[in-house]
Amino acid sequence: MAVHNADVAAIFNRLADLLEIEEANPFRVRAYRRAAQTIEDLPESLSGMIARGEKLSTLPGIGDDLAGKIREIVESGHLKAMDEVEARTPSTLAALTSVPDLGPKRVHMLHEELGIETLEDLTEAAAAGKLKELPRFSAAMEKKVLDELRRRGETEQRFRLSTAEDFAEALCTHLRTVRGIGEVVVAGSYRRRKETVGDLDILVTAKDGARVIDHFVGYEEVDQVLSKGTTRSTVILKCGIQVDVRVVPEESYGAALHYFTGSKGHNIAVRKLGMDKGLKINEYGVFRGEKRIAGRTEEEVYRSVKLPYIEPELREDRGEIDAAFAGTLPKLVALADIRGDLHVHTRASDGKSTLREMAEAARARGYSYLGITDHSKHATVAHGLDAKRLAAELDDIDRLNDELEGITLIKSCEVDILADGKLDLPASILKRLDYTVCAVHYRFDLDRDKQTERIIRAMDNRYFTILAHPTGRLLGERPGYAVDLERVMAAAKERGCFLEINGHPARLDLDDVRARAAKEMDIRIAITTDAHSTAGLGAIRYGVDQARRGWLEADDVLNTRPWPKLKAMLAR
DNA sequence: GCCGTTTTCGGCCCGACTGTTTTCAGTCG
């Protein structure tokens, strides 16, 4: 059984949770968490590194001990140290700390005093009124725990970025009506443009914090008020999303924005740099002793530790600080760099808009070209095109291109990769296309090796150009199919194929880490929308966000080029 | 458990809010 990075990270995280419940040395706990983070962010596989004899202890936060443990997990699928801890402290206890108000200390007590091991035990004990009897528990808390456990079944815990945007924008509009309000900005993972958002962190500048908070908790969408002070408050909206609002004075705006944008790892790293210079950095500013020396803008905060400004999408503690020092921060691709979309559908298959409508919408966005990629015949539910219907569409495109000014339609197709790795249409029609977008749409259940080989075999076809949504995941709905993307990328590189960042908010596939790995392998990426209507073209910005999180520059992205240049690149 | 130009021991980010509390621990971000 192959062991993946995510498996190793999960073991370390669980071990950290359990050690914390056992009240182990908190710094040891942190070391496991930090190692798990490093591993999650690692663009290459640990098993591959081990096979190549690379030293794992060169990775940040991984010393000789953890390197040995990683090797043990990768080689045996198992960690003895974990078994030993689990013998004392059942692994199921780790899940309990995800319940609000239950940290390691209380979970420890629940285990010791009531013998609780699982969420089910916890629900039972809470329902039986046993929690409130314990020291440092109360009836109110018991009720809160019960409510939370009930709520869990009903609402999902993370929201797609696009969904979070809907809630956030409405709430910000509400906040901006407060008298005396200054800035209103959504910070946190939302500002870092993470693909899903757990909660919203809203930063506000104002002199009168209490007034802002009163107005905030009075928002009609507020379902529960979890805390309410004069500078901060936490609520849960009716849609289930948690929102934190923080009010700071204007002179602290930059420091607070930096602080609340995170990520935590990035902040810690910056704060440490400050400490080295005898500075204290918190959400109110940068201080030397009692004296505030910076904090009005984020640029000031960075400048105080001799760093250039770092874009929010890069603030994940994945090497951006070192890059900033070295002057090698990427000049991130921007929405304005995109010259055309390469993956869209029309009514010919399962889209809602006509060729002409799509073309005009693309032109209105300032694009100079639009690649038409209706489904191929295997996608029967999507009215996929057979060779004959595709030929007819290509003729339509020719005719329309003669009429259209300022936009060129490009001939393409989203070709199904069949289960055996063949493409769904014959060469006789594929050769008429300028490029193809190839995708797996069924048989997600193949095992990892078979799925990987299926895709690589498809790439052997000279008409294969871009691999669409490489993992097939749908955020909040289904995980991707099992596939060895490292091998797929290496195969793409060899054959001159490309990968996609599909900007559809449910896909965002490739993800940030994989996109960066592709960049490092010198594989160019197409940022597309998979639009099924003219409105769908707007999703390009989510794709750009994901690309920026993957450190991509304009040159790394195929469709930042004018069509003639791009056409030459796509030819195999 | 990691780390190091102050390096093999002794550090390891910091503040707000809540209520377990009445002077502070626990939790969260």
Side-chain angles (χ1 to χ4, degrees), chain A residues 433-466:
Chain A
L433 305 178
D434 288 301
Y435 71 98
T436 60
V437 170
C438 302
V440 168
H441 285 122
Y442 70 108
R443 286 309 305 269
F444 290 177
D445 59 327
L446 293 185
D447 71 41
R448 188 175 157 97
D449 283 341
K450 289 215 174 71
Q451 196 70 275
T452 304
E453 277 151 26
R454 169 190 190 178
I455 294 170
I456 293 175
R457 203 166 309 137
M459 285 180 174
D460 286 336
N461 188 313
R462 59 178 292 219
Y463 296 109
F464 187 115
T465 321
I466 299 169

Side-chain angles (χ1 to χ4, degrees), chain A residues 314-367:
Chain A
L314 298 179
R315 302 182 195 170
E316 296 290 345
D317 194 25
R318 294 177 184 162
E320 70 277 9
I321 306 247
D322 288 344
F325 271 125
T328 56
L329 279 174
K331 186 176 184 306
L332 296 180
V333 61
L335 189 54
D337 294 326
I338 302 293
R339 306 227 194 174
D341 201 330
L342 295 173
H343 183 168
V344 310
H345 298 268
T346 74
R347 274 193 211 171
S349 61
D350 60 344
K352 305 283 180 291
S353 309
T354 63
L355 264 183
R356 182 185 294 275
E357 286 163 350
M358 291 302 283
E360 285 169 356
R363 184 174 54 196
R365 298 189 66 83
Y367 290 165

